[in-house]
Amino acid sequence: MDSADIRARWLKFFETNNSLKLPHTVVPSASLIADDPNLLLVNAGMVPFKPYFLGEAKPPYKRATSVQKCVRTLDIDEVGKTTRHASFFQMCGNFSFGDYFKEGAIALAWELLTKSVSSGGYGFSEDKLWVTVYQDDDEAANIWEKQIGVPKNRIQRRGMADNFWSMGVPGPCGPCSEIYFDRGSDYGKEGGPIVDEDRYLEIWNLVFMQNIRGEGGDKNSFPIIGELPAKNIDTGLGLERTAALLQGVENIYEIDTTKMILDKASELTKTKYGKDEKTDVSLRVIADHTRTAMMLIGDGVTPGNEGRGYVLRRMMRRTIRNMRLLGSQDLVIAELIKSSIKAMGPQYPELVTGGERILSVAQSEEDSFNQTLKSGTSIFDIAADQSKSTKSKSLSADTAFKLHDTYGFPFDLTLEMAREQGLEVDESGFKKLMNEQRDRAKADAKAKKSGHTDLTQYRAIVDKFGSTKFLGYENIKAESKITGVLVDGKAAAEVSAGSEIEVMLDRTPFYAEGGGQLADNGVIKLANGAVVKVEDVQTPVPGLFVHRGSVVSGVVKNGESASAEIDLQRRLAISRAHTATHMVHKAFREALGETATQAGSENAPGRFRFDFPSTSAVPTSVLNDVESRVNELLIADLQVDAQVMSQDAAKALGATALFGEKYGDQVRVVSVGDWAKELCGGTHVSRSGELGLIKLLSESSIGAGVRRVEALVGHDAYKFLAREHVLLNSLTEIIKGVRVEELPQRISDLIEKMRSMEKEISAINTAKAVTAAGDLLKKSKSTGNASVIIEQLGNGISGEDMRTIALDLKGKLKTGIVVLATINDAKPLLVAVVSAEAIKLGVKAGELIKLGSTILGGGGGGKDDFAQGGGSNADAITKAFAEIAKHIQGKLN
């Protein structure tokens, strides 16, 4: 049974085809980009339903089922070393929100697992299945034995660490019941899961969410402080693990969707899986990471140096590196990604339709990493030479971290290269630096969303007063009541003037930052006369608008009535920018194709930026066409409408959904005439003519495979063009007798003339230097059997001219070594040439330049016969020459 069939059977069974007549709402997999400030990526099947379990939102259905895409990053370094770890997996789940409980969950699980394949089940043999329950859960044990008929000896009880679930923080929790499959005596000892979990493989976990957990404790013991008012069910069956059992293979790396990628890696590297452990580890890493990378890119993640982008970049670079370890020096990522799309496409058709974009992003990252390998290797070589020269046997943690963090050099590659040089790496120091960076990143992310406030403070407000009602689409002002006041993350009854404050209201016209749109500013005026200036609005927990600012006057008291009013001019300017973004997005898709889908944006007063996937710069002609197209549609003064409808209706309408965004069953579609239609929760103008003017300012790269367009709209665009006009007039005044349209050519001619003059000056300087080179021959010194020239030339000589002079000198020496220096723009430049005879004696130009450049505070390298480099400290030339001379003497004497 292939993976696509396993997935389809799961959804069909819970949607319509179970004997208990408990139809579930099929919920599509959420994006891997988690809608949760505490999560980088969705890491469990229940994550999209978390607000319902926590009581932060009311579930729109009593029963639900899904097959959720998940990525776990904690075990990335362990992937491949065993056949158990994987970074991407799919979790099949069925969920009950205050509806059926233990009896229903247990009966449904047993029915699907044991029902025959011909009847739509998985066909597991009943006598191969074992179950575990929590040690005190007599209810679950009795259901398994009395109602399902599982023999008592195949029902085992386990403690809190194994069979009691919680989120690790105060909140919902409850006992679990796990279902295991006995793989037989070839896989281990008899005695059930409590004896051997390699032989008895867990396939399904049923969580009975019935309790409330308190503070403290660990996974073996934590306080249970009460019962939930409504009992819930959360279950999870690992699709890949189930596939391994149903396909009769040894592990998850041999199932259909993974093996297809692994086989492609074997083909490209001409290696065979199962030949030796080292090769197998690399092939498993490649198979796992390629699939995960493909799924992440498919959901809109792009490689970067932070957050999700860093996870993606790390996985892609580990993939490429392992391909190189297996002997492939070619560009390989495209073929691997294609095999991943072929493997997963039957389950996720959007991977096929978005294949061109996914390939584009992946290939661009591979090109970037090839450059990283070159620059990183050069830096590593310099650091390794320094360690050896100081008799150190270890590479510092700072060097390893710099290679990893600044240049994207994989740490395990640094380890391997160090071992080849006979060096160790300060791994503990490196891990400490990584942890410090990770802690800073987590703190920054948390501060952005929650302002350093414990989220339980916000949840308590939602629990007591419900969600904030947003009135901002229709109103700029609203009469409200204060439902919460926080200062420095702590609840406050009243706050005086001059204090920073967070205010929660039951109703608000303020738009909270989201979807690329910046938050509204404005004021909150209390009935007692106090005034709060609002400078930011966030939603740290779903449904709660947190107004951040300062108390301007009076005393703010919790529970007071208040009037909230936004800054109308700022809102209008932001709304113009947001509508302009939609129009530019549509125009780019018309010009470049569907792959130019928005991958990020920011809508601020009078300006906006728009990110989209592209492996190369957008031609100026295309930018001009896009700008012309959108401005023509401003003149057409199209109606801008917003309608709320189902996702299916939005798709039928042709509305565009953005990568990485999470949408509910009901979505808001913003339409600019019949032209641009997009799912969006932001604020917009009423007609396109209100935008006035759109001016694209720039187009540039912001990372591998991602381009950014920055633009102005409305009065800001007009002011920019007015300044440009003044500048143009100033240039025509400076360059007399030239019409405006002739300026580009005239300025180009002047620049070309200047460059020609610079070349003439350089040629004169070089001629002088070559003439003086004859005098340098007289300064050559005999060291061993070689003639050595180490001299500093006059300032301002180019690197190419330095090479000419050095080669000229070497040609006049039989066994010659020439090292020359100059200063250009206050920075030292080094060149070294070594004759074939001197190379045989052990002197190499590349080693001379690495040594000298390091002392000069820079880097460089080259071949044995020619190398060049430089640095930033011109005062160190004398010291560099001394060390180079010492090195040469050591080789020749």
Side-chain angles (χ1 to χ4, degrees), residues 745-790:
Q745 185 60 48
R746 184 61 183 273
I747 292 172
S748 177
D749 291 343
L750 289 172
I751 292 173
E752 186 59 37
K753 186 176 181 179
M754 182 180 69
R755 286 173 178 165
S756 178
M757 294 173 67
E758 287 174 348
K759 286 180 181 178
E760 288 181 17
I761 293 170
S762 177
I764 292 170
N765 288 337
T766 301
K768 289 180 179 179
V770 171
T771 300
D775 295 333
L776 294 179
L777 282 173
K778 300 173 185 176
K779 298 181 179 181
S780 68
K781 298 178 181 178
S782 294
T783 303
N785 296 322
S787 298
V788 181
I789 297 175
I790 303 176

Side-chain angles (χ1 to χ4, degrees), residues 105-123:
I106 289 172
L108 287 168
W110 192 259
E111 180 183 352
L112 178 55
L113 286 177
T114 61
K115 181 186 283 190
S116 68
V117 173
S118 60
S119 299
Y122 293 142

